[in-house]
Amino acid sequence: MEIDPIWIGLVLAIAVAGLALWWTSVKKPPLPEAKPTPAPVEGPNWTQRLGLGLSRARQDVWGKLLASLGKNDGANEEAEEILYTADLPPALVGELLSALQNTTVRSEAELKNTLATFLKSKLAPHHPAGKLDPLATKQGAGPRVIMIVGVNGAGKTTTVGKLAAKLRAQGSKVLVGACDTFRAAAVDQLQVWCDRAGADMVRAKDGADPSGVAFETVALAQREGHDFCLVDTAGRLHTASGLMDELAKTKRVMAKVDPSFPQEVWLVIDAITGQNALKQAQEFHKSLGLTGLVFTKCDGSAKAGSAVAIVQQLQVPITYIGVGESVDDLQPFSVDEYVSALVGLPQS
Ligand code: GDP
């Protein structure tokens, strides 16, 4: 009987395929051994970050003050000098020294408590809400518009980026207006933050009118039902004539879309600025009517005295505090947490 060559070919092909399959299964490299999943590495929590961030201020000023008071058995010239280096205005230095003189202080714990009580008495009246995240809940029907102002380098753009990320993480719909039309790099930086966070952004063209961009941003937020609208602004030196006028115009223009816009105007202050920060803050407040302060870079060599002075003078609360460059390094401000970390008391 003659066998059809097609059949022979077919049988041979099947045999070769089977052989190849067997070979690959035999030669398959062994599966790597399953490694146990490493336990997630927990970074420091906020209390620890705040404590670490404020450690310079704690050691440089408040620690030295405590040492001096202990050594000299009460307030003295050395203590007075140390307080001036903390950027506290003269009136507050005098008040604190007499508070220290009038208190019988027997231990370091008592000294810390006296100091903490004094600082809290200056900050608490302007922060009646305790620790409330100012952006945790949306108020009203339309978008809540927050205008962010401050001098160049204070940390505005980074703050807007961090806030956008936080708001997105809580599930809010966020629109960011990049109105710093003088710095293309700032707009690019903001775009990166927004892309990462999933926030929408209105991107100004170089040299565009900042108030026009702000108008476009809040109108879009209203039309498209955004929950929050963060408006980043330019920040050439506050002494440069024109900046305050330009910011005031930007604010007015937003109100044309809705008279309640912007509901918030927050000044971002580099905490290291020292006494000059008070003058800066006064100018911004006069022109724009600030509703909140954001202190950034408290992890640097900031002494905290100027924060107390500004809150007292302006009677405006600190809304957020920053102690580093990551998103988690910006948190809602709490008087108790801040003062305890500053003087080195355990958090209550
Ligand atoms: P802007 O000019 O006001 O917009 O300032 P930027 O947002 O560009 O910030 C200036 C620099 O400060 C950037 O390098 C930021 O990463 C940095 N920065 C902002 N906030 C903090 C903070 O809380 N701590 C530290 N160490 N750096 C910060």
Side-chain angles (χ1 to χ4, degrees):
M1 179 186 83
E2 210 174 290
I3 300 171
D4 189 336
I6 293 180
W7 281 109
I8 296 174
L10 206 63
V11 168
L12 270 174
I14 290 170
V16 168
L19 204 66
L21 255 177
W22 170 80
W23 181 250
T24 49
S25 71
V26 166
K27 297 297 277 178
K28 212 184 262 173
L31 283 176
E33 247 177 60
K35 287 196 186 123
T37 320
V41 182
E42 292 249 328
N45 62 25
W46 170 242
T47 307
Q48 292 161 333
R49 276 168 201 266
L50 185 66
L52 277 174
L54 295 180
S55 58
R56 286 271 298 272
R58 193 164 57 241
Q59 284 151 18
D60 287 358
V61 179
W62 311 106
K64 278 189 194 160
L65 179 68
L66 290 168
S68 161
L69 293 172
K71 189 173 68 193
N72 296 300
D73 204 17
N76 55 78
E77 250 174 55
E78 189 186 42
E80 189 174 348
E81 264 170 40
I82 295 168
L83 285 176
Y84 279 118
T85 67
D87 299 329
L88 275 176
L92 284 185
V93 171
E95 238 186 277
L96 178 51
L97 285 174
S98 53
L100 289 164
Q101 257 151 5
N102 295 335
T103 320
T104 335
V105 178
R106 283 173 299 265
S107 67
E108 189 179 314
E110 273 175 321
L111 281 174
K112 285 183 179 178
N113 278 321
T114 309
L115 210 47
T117 306
F118 176 82
L119 292 173
K120 282 183 193 173
S121 75
K122 299 297 161 200
L123 291 170
H126 308 293
H127 298 85
K131 182 170 180 166
L132 262 189
D133 186 345
L135 299 182
T137 48
K138 193 171 91 84
Q139 293 154 353
R144 187 156 167 217
V145 178
I146 299 133
M147 180 180 181
I148 303 286
V149 299
V151 299
N152 267 351
K156 287 182 305 299
T157 304
T158 320
T159 298
V160 169
K162 288 175 184 171
L163 291 177
K166 282 175 185 297
L167 288 167
R168 286 293 300 130
Q170 79 186 27
S172 301
K173 190 174 173 190
V174 182
L175 180 65
V176 169
C179 301
D180 189 348
T181 55
F182 298 96
R183 284 195 312 157
V187 179
D188 290 341
Q189 189 190 339
L190 206 46
Q191 184 79 63
V192 173
W193 276 101
C194 289
D195 289 347
R196 219 185 291 153
D200 301 319
M201 184 171 127
V202 173
R203 213 188 143 96
K205 289 190 189 69
D206 282 0
D209 176 17
S211 57
V213 183
F215 182 90
E216 199 189 316
T217 307
V218 293
L220 184 71
Q222 195 178 49
R223 247 190 348 263
E224 299 202 339
H226 286 85
D227 301 311
F228 289 93
C229 182
L230 303 167
V231 179
D232 189 21
T233 59
R236 284 161 300 149
L237 271 188
H238 68 292
T239 44
S241 59
L243 176 63
M244 292 302 161
D245 289 347
E246 179 196 293
L247 291 174
K249 181 179 161 197
T250 301
K251 189 181 171 201
R252 273 197 314 274
V253 161
M254 287 193 264
K256 287 191 180 162
V257 176
D258 185 305
S260 69
F261 292 166
Q263 290 92 337
E264 306 279 353
V265 183
W266 291 356
L267 174 66
V268 177
I269 303 169
D270 176 342
I272 305 163
T273 316
Q275 292 231 357
N276 197 24
L278 175 60
K279 200 163 167 291
Q280 248 179 46
Q282 281 168 326
E283 283 192 43
F284 276 98
H285 194 40
K286 200 168 100 201
S287 301
L288 300 167
L290 302 174
T291 63
L293 307 166
V294 177
F295 275 90
T296 59
K297 308 188 202 180
C298 295
D299 50 320
S301 55
K303 306 293 182 353
S306 58
V308 181
I310 294 172
V311 167
Q312 268 233 306
Q313 275 282 315
L314 270 52
Q315 311 207 344
V316 168
I318 301 173
T319 49
Y320 280 85
I321 172 169
V323 294
E325 306 208 26
S326 82
V327 176
D328 291 336
D329 289 327
L330 184 78
Q331 294 286 337
F333 180 79
S334 145
V335 173
D336 278 352
E337 269 180 9
Y338 178 71
V339 169
S340 298
L342 201 60
V343 301
L345 279 174
Q347 296 287 347
S348 44

